[in-house]
Each structure stands twice: as structure tokens, then as C-alpha cells.
Amino acid sequence: MSSELAATRFWSRKALPLAGAMLLLAVAGWGGLRALRGPTVATVAARRGPLVQRVVLTGRVMSAGSVQLGTVTLGTVQDVLVDSGSHVQGGQLLLRLADAEQRAAVAQEMAGLALAKAQLGQVRQVSDRVAVASLQDAQVAVAQAERELQRSESLASSGAISPQAVEAVRDTLTSARTRQAAAQARATGARGSEAQLAGARIAEAQVALELAKARLALTTLLAPAAGVIVERHTEPGDIVQPGKVLLVLARDGGLRLEAQTDEKNLTFLKTGLSAEAVADGVPGQPFPVHLSWISPAVDLDRGNIAVRFAVSAATSWLKPDMTVSINVEIARKQGAPLLPLAAVRDATTERPWVLVVRDGGTLRAAVTVGSRGTDEIEILGGVDGQTDVVVQTGIAEGSKARPNRRE
């Protein structure tokens, strides 16, 4: 073997381990440098953009009005003509009580009215005729007595009869006139007081009949307005008492949402404010609403205030008592400096702060915050658009770090 070849093999055996060793030293040096500089952490910088403040409320769907229906009389339920979910019209028959007794009372009073009318007819047709006939007889008797008196006076003047005979005829005339006056009074009474008495009996019978009909009407339950029966609490055969709720009717039209919100939001809430609602039962169909009413009083126990939202569009699938989530936009700012809400620590306290990367390490920086959105918060001071703010969790204050800014 030549000396050149031997030398080559010698240096190859020596050079390869040396290169590997040098490579290992280089890698170890790079890792050590990284260890000295710290790990990379996710950071962001404050950006300017629109800030939307929202309040999410949980509420329920309420109808225009719920009416509790029942009877005002004691009775036994005979028929229930509707069920929960039935849509009814105003005046529609919903329930009927057993009414045999009331119907019999109506029939009895109708017979009483017919009798009173017949009595009035009798007064007009019989009593009145008898009284008129008696008056006519009395008038004839008076006329005859007057003629007899004239004849007697003529005879007495010629001496044909005595004055005593004339007085007797005069007495007869007086008696006839008295009977005429009595007959006149009877005729007037037949047409007046007796007829009035019969008429009063008719009026009394009519009132009694109306009362019986009213009692019969109390055995039926009618819908006071169009709507949906949402509750049914009775069955045929039940004995019901006045005041017991048998059916609950939700009136048609004007569905609204009712919710509670913290009184701290009262500053931002104004009637007419637009919002979007989603029913838990139909999550894929959000619908527009607007704030229509704010309670004038705050619940002292919970610090909440009741609000109502009017449904702005037709939603036939919306049902009373459904649970809804209401997303209310209470404020919007353009060009506000913003940070992710997760990057700001103690944001709800008086001393909010962020963790920033500066000079190869992390440190705490106090910030001043403004309005708060759903995912972002307004930064009024403490950091600017060049500051690397840590958004990665698990990074301690005072540790070495290198920023890896996210856009």
C-alpha cells in the first residue's frame, strides 16, 4: 500500500468522528442559546377596529295575555269541547255543565209569563166589557130619572100631583146619578189599575224568565277572545266550584319576550333598541325583536330589572312559554383600540393588567380599559399598537420569552 493511500485512510478515520463531535457541539450551542433566550409565546398587539357591545339575556315567550277561565256556579262538568293546543274563536263554546235544573227553571218561568199575559187579556176582554155595560145601564137610568123629574114638576105645577111626589122622583134621580158615578169608577178601574196590575205581573214574569236564562247561561263557558288553549284542568264528571281554573287561554296576536337583566345595563337600554333572538327549541331560526318596555322598578332582592321585547316579524312557529336567548347590541364604537378579552387579566376589577413581552422577558403592565364587547375590550391606555401582549396561557410573569405575534 502506498504511503498516500495509508495517509488518506488515517485522516478519514480521524476526521469523521471529529466532524460529528463538532456538529454535536454546534447543536448543543444552538439549544443552549434558545434556552437562554426563552421559548416563543403567542402575542398580539392592540388593533383598531369596530367594537360592538352586546348583552345576552335569557327570557321567555309571552302571549298578548293569558286568561284563566272557570265557572261562577257550582256544577258537574258535562262536556269539555277543547283540549290543550286547540285554537278557538271569540264566543266559541268551550265547556258545558249539567243544566237540567236550569232548563226546567227556564220552562217554568216561560209558563209564568204566558199566564200573566193571559190575565191581562182577560182584564181587557171581560172585566172591561162588564164595567162598560154597567156604566151604560147607569147612564140610561139617570136619563130616565131626569125625564121623570121633568114630567113630575110639570104635573105638580098644574096641581095634578103633590109636591111630595116630585121629591120622591128627585130622590130617584139622585140615586141613579150615584149609581152612574160608581159604574164610571168601576169602568175606569178596569181600564186602569187592574190593567196596570196585570202589566206588572207580566213585567215580573219577564224578569224571572231573564234570571232563569242567565242562570242557564252560567252552565256554559265561552271563549272571551280568539286564542290558543294552553292548559286544561278538568274532565267530564268533575264537580267544579266558583273560582276554580278550568282552562287557560293565551290570546292571539302580539307575542312578546320577557327577560331579566342586571341593573348595571340600565344605562345602555333604551326603548326601540334592536336585538336578535333565538328560541332554544328552534336554534337555527333567529328573528328580529326590539326593546318595547323597561320596568320602572328594580328587583331589590336580585338587583335585576324586567324588560320586554316586541317581536318585529311574523314567526308562526313561536309558541308561548318557549325559552329564548336575546342578543342586544347596546353600543358600537368605530376605530377603538382593541385587545382580545382573554388577554386582559382582572378586567372586571379596578386594576386590570396584561402580560407583555419586553427585552426578552415577560412583565406585568397596567392598562386602562373602556367598553367591553363579546370577545374584545377597548384599551384606553397602558399599551399601544407596538406592544406585544401575551395571549398564550401558562406563561408566568418574569419568565424569559420571545414574542410570536399573531395578526
Side-chain angles (χ1 to χ4, degrees):
M1 180 182 296
S2 66
S3 58
E4 291 83 356
L5 180 58
T8 300
R9 288 180 176 179
F10 172 80
W11 285 108
S12 297
R13 288 195 300 267
K14 297 296 184 179
L16 287 174
L18 181 61
M22 292 180 66
L23 180 60
L24 290 173
L25 288 173
V27 171
W30 177 252
L33 181 60
R34 289 182 62 188
L36 290 174
R37 294 179 62 188
T40 59
V41 296
T43 63
V44 295
R47 71 173 187 89
R48 288 191 175 273
L51 175 67
V52 178
Q53 284 184 271
R54 298 182 184 275
V55 175
V56 179
L57 310 177
T58 299
R60 302 194 73 82
V61 179
M62 306 297 292
S63 64
S66 295
V67 184
Q68 296 181 337
L69 304 177
T71 65
V72 295
T73 185
L74 179 68
T76 302
V77 177
Q78 179 173 311
D79 297 305
V80 183
L81 306 177
V82 293
D83 205 345
S84 297
S86 299
H87 187 272
V88 299
Q89 300 297 327
Q92 181 176 333
L93 179 62
L94 308 178
L95 179 146
R96 182 186 295 111
L97 300 180
D99 57 3
E101 181 180 349
Q102 289 79 2
R103 290 184 180 277
V106 170
Q108 181 179 8
E109 298 304 335
M110 291 180 66
L113 177 60
L115 178 60
K117 290 182 177 179
Q119 289 175 342
L120 177 60
Q122 182 180 14
V123 167
R124 290 176 175 174
Q125 295 178 6
V126 177
S127 300
D128 189 55
R129 290 182 180 179
V130 171
V132 169
S134 298
L135 177 59
Q136 291 176 346
D137 291 342
Q139 290 172 341
V140 171
V142 169
Q144 290 177 346
E146 288 176 346
R147 288 195 297 271
E148 184 62 27
L149 178 60
Q150 291 177 355
R151 189 179 69 82
S152 298
E153 289 176 345
S154 177
L155 292 174
S157 62
S158 62
I161 59 175
S162 64
Q164 290 80 7
V166 176
E167 288 300 324
V169 174
R170 188 174 285 113
D171 292 340
T172 301
L173 176 60
T174 301
S175 298
R177 287 176 176 172
T178 301
R179 289 192 297 272
Q180 180 185 12
Q184 181 69 48
R186 284 194 298 271
T188 303
R191 290 189 297 269
S193 60
E194 291 184 14
Q196 290 176 359
L197 180 59
R201 290 184 184 133
I202 291 175
E204 183 180 13
Q206 287 175 333
V207 171
L209 177 59
E210 293 300 322
L211 181 59
K213 288 181 177 180
R215 288 173 177 166
L216 176 61
L218 294 180
T219 62
T220 59
L221 183 59
L222 306 180
V228 176
I229 301 297
V230 295
E231 295 181 31
R232 169 176 165 171
H233 303 294
T234 189
E235 297 295 334
D238 289 348
I239 298 176
V240 296
Q241 297 180 351
K244 179 181 178 181
V245 177
L246 305 180
L247 301 169
V248 178
L249 172 71
R251 294 177 182 269
D252 278 350
L255 287 178
R256 64 174 184 266
L257 312 183
E258 290 196 6
Q260 299 281 334
T261 185
D262 194 295
E263 61 180 316
K264 296 178 181 178
N265 298 324
L266 189 57
T267 304
F268 307 105
L269 297 177
K270 306 293 180 185
T271 54
L273 201 62
S274 297
E276 185 178 72
V278 177
D280 290 359
V282 194
Q285 298 190 42
F287 54 95
V289 297
H290 64 271
L291 185 60
S292 60
W293 177 82
I294 301 173
S295 173
V298 175
D299 187 330
L300 295 178
D301 295 331
R302 295 180 293 178
N304 289 344
I305 188 166
V307 291
R308 293 176 185 166
F309 293 84
V311 180
S312 304
T315 49
S316 58
W317 46 264
L318 205 59
K319 306 297 183 185
D321 295 329
M322 292 180 75
T323 302
V324 292
S325 296
I326 309 166
N327 196 329
V328 187
E329 181 179 317
I330 59 176
R332 180 182 289 269
K333 291 184 178 180
Q334 299 293 338
L338 306 174
L339 278 177
L341 195 58
V344 181
R345 323 292 175 89
D346 299 332
T348 59
T349 68
E350 296 181 355
R351 295 181 178 181
W353 58 280
V354 296
L355 195 63
V356 302
V357 178
R358 188 175 295 163
D359 299 329
T362 60
L363 55 89
R364 177 185 297 212
V367 293
T368 304
V369 298
S371 300
R372 179 172 177 172
T374 305
D375 301 312
E376 294 181 303
I377 189 169
E378 183 182 15
I379 303 298
L380 301 179
V383 296
D384 56 27
Q386 303 303 316
T387 306
D388 287 298
V389 179
V390 176
V391 292
Q392 184 176 328
T393 59
I395 306 301
E397 179 185 356
S399 61
K400 293 184 178 300
R402 291 176 294 118
N404 180 18
R405 183 179 296 184
R406 296 176 180 176
E407 297 299 332

